[in-house]
Amino acid sequence: MTDRKQIEENLGRRIAGAAVVARTVALLIVGLFWALATPILCLAQVQLPAVNLGETNFEDGFSVPGWFIEEFPESYVAGELRDGHGNTVPGRNRLTTDSTTTHVAYISKKRVLGGWLAGEVLQPLVDVDVQLANGTSSRVRGFGDLTFGPGLQWAPKKIGNGVFVHRFVFDVTVPTGTYSDRRPVNIGNHFVVVNPYYALTYERKKIEFSARFHYLWNSANSEPFVGFGIRNMQPGQAFHVNYATSYEVRKNVRLGFNGYWLQQMTDHKINNVDVPFSRERTVGIGPGLQLGGRDIWFHLNDYMETDVRNRPSGVKVTFRISKALPSTKEP
């Protein structure tokens, strides 16, 4: 690995990873909170939108000019709800989300601030099934909100005995998904989500470390579920990060450890008033597998959630198929 061409050929062509998997359970669930009502949860009608928690992991920072296409089948099952102290709320409840998200990205050869100008689009298709302790249930299927964003991808750079590569993308999610103010559970958010991120990878011989740092801001929903009896609500701001490390056990096969952490930084708002004890938190950890190289990759990752506050707690399994269509000429 003595020059950029060798680095790109040996380490793969990785475009702007699958940023925000927008499979969205945007409003979870006034019926659940009222049926289980505890003092801490009684006002918790607002929830953070679904964001990229563990969907991107190994060798996340790599990419070169060209097209990149990914598909993200994913399943999430939660059998518990956690209050503001991390305690399980009594009652038998179950949330199941099955989704697939199509991600298309392009990195041009145009240079800006030393990086290649890039852009990406993500469109999810989602199936949400909710079973509540009070015997009621709800199921919604449809398209989630569309995510798009411009960005910059920097070429791999030798640092010490390894290679460092990084990327910045300014992602925005717009309310195009399935939504109705007559349903307590929805796929679309019905508000704008701003979720920029910075991704990096450092690889030395067969070992690599990757991370992706996001900051989340949400606009207000002026048409919340009518059963709330409120005029508007706004989810708080949050920080979330994905992290992963892997080892190449044999050619084109990597095994490793991956995880994510989300921490809400500001309170949710209802009718422009802060909701106390409403900040969300979750940590997911688990093993991962990556197969392939050159222009196609397969990822299988598993996460068990812990240290959860004010949100469902469960298990997530993600499967990712990635195909690169690199530019034919050297940039």
Side-chain angles (χ1 to χ4, degrees), residues 138-151:
S138 181
R139 187 171 188 178
V140 185
R141 298 174 180 173
F143 286 103
D145 293 342
L146 179 72
T147 297
F148 64 92

Side-chain angles (χ1 to χ4, degrees), residues 18-25 49-57 70-77 95-102 122 124-129 242 260 299-303 305 311 315-321:
V20 180
V21 175
R23 51 126 187 85
T24 305
V25 187
V51 292
N52 180 352
L53 295 179
E55 278 81 16
T56 52
N57 32 66
E70 289 191 307
E71 195 67 28
F72 284 83
E74 179 176 282
S75 181
Y76 177 76
V77 179
L95 164 67
T96 303
T97 303
D98 296 312
S99 67
T100 185
T101 297
T102 301
L122 297 100
L125 179 64
V126 189
D127 184 323
V128 179
D129 186 14
N242 296 340
Y260 55 82
H299 295 81
L300 180 63
N301 304 89
D302 178 69
Y303 301 92
E305 291 186 321
R311 58 186 286 131
V315 176
K316 174 188 289 190
V317 178
T318 66
F319 178 65
R320 178 159 45 112
I321 306 170

Side-chain angles (χ1 to χ4, degrees), residues 5-261:
K5 184 176 180 180
Q6 289 176 316
I7 291 169
E8 293 168 353
E9 290 178 350
N10 294 336
L11 297 179
R13 298 173 173 90
R14 194 78 70 211
I15 216 150
V20 180
V21 175
R23 51 126 187 85
T24 305
V25 187
L27 301 176
L28 180 80
I29 302 162
V30 66
L32 172 61
F33 293 133
W34 288 347
L36 302 177
T38 66
I40 291 176
L41 289 176
C42 63
L43 293 177
Q45 298 101 325
V46 192
Q47 189 186 15
L48 293 177
V51 292
N52 180 352
L53 295 179
E55 278 81 16
T56 52
N57 32 66
F58 303 145
E59 297 186 301
D60 187 23
F62 283 100
S63 64
V64 295
W67 289 93
F68 192 75
I69 302 171
E70 289 191 307
E71 195 67 28
F72 284 83
E74 179 176 282
S75 181
Y76 177 76
V77 179
E80 295 179 338
L81 182 69
R82 300 297 181 98
D83 64 19
H85 299 297
N87 300 317
T88 301
V89 176
R92 295 175 60 88
N93 308 279
R94 185 178 180 87
L95 164 67
T96 303
T97 303
D98 296 312
S99 67
T100 185
T101 297
T102 301
H103 172 225
V104 179
Y106 179 72
I107 291 184
S108 72
K109 297 178 182 179
K110 182 176 179 58
R111 297 273 187 168
V112 177
L113 300 176
W116 296 308
L117 187 64
E120 65 181 6
V121 177
L122 297 100
Q123 178 60 65
L125 179 64
V126 189
D127 184 323
V128 179
D129 186 14
V130 181
Q131 306 291 330
L132 304 182
N134 63 2
T136 61
S137 63
S138 181
R139 187 171 188 178
V140 185
R141 298 174 180 173
F143 286 103
D145 293 342
L146 179 72
T147 297
F148 64 92
L152 292 175
Q153 170 71 51
W154 286 270
K157 179 180 180 181
K158 291 280 289 185
I159 296 182
N161 294 322
V163 177
F164 176 76
V165 62
H166 58 138
R167 174 177 64 257
F168 174 79
V169 176
F170 194 88
D171 273 326
V172 177
T173 302
V174 291
T176 59
T178 303
Y179 182 86
S180 171
D181 62 4
R182 302 291 171 175
R183 287 196 303 261
V185 180
N186 276 288
I187 294 172
N189 291 313
H190 205 60
F191 54 83
V192 175
V193 176
V194 179
N195 195 206
Y197 75 83
Y198 173 70
L200 61 89
T201 294
Y202 182 76
E203 187 157 321
R204 180 177 178 180
K205 297 182 179 179
K206 294 186 176 184
I207 299 175
E208 65 90 18
F209 171 79
S210 297
R212 186 185 287 211
F213 303 90
H214 307 72
Y215 198 84
L216 173 68
W217 177 88
N218 308 287
S219 69
N221 181 354
S222 59
E223 296 181 344
F225 172 54
V226 293
F228 288 161
I230 59 178
R231 298 188 307 276
N232 62 73
M233 60 185 188
Q234 182 176 15
Q237 300 175 41
F239 171 81
H240 58 106
V241 58
N242 296 340
Y243 50 89
T245 185
S246 67
Y247 181 80
E248 189 178 32
V249 295
R250 58 179 298 177
K251 183 176 176 61
N252 296 330
V253 179
R254 285 187 170 274
L255 292 175
F257 171 86
N258 40 231
Y260 55 82
W261 169 52

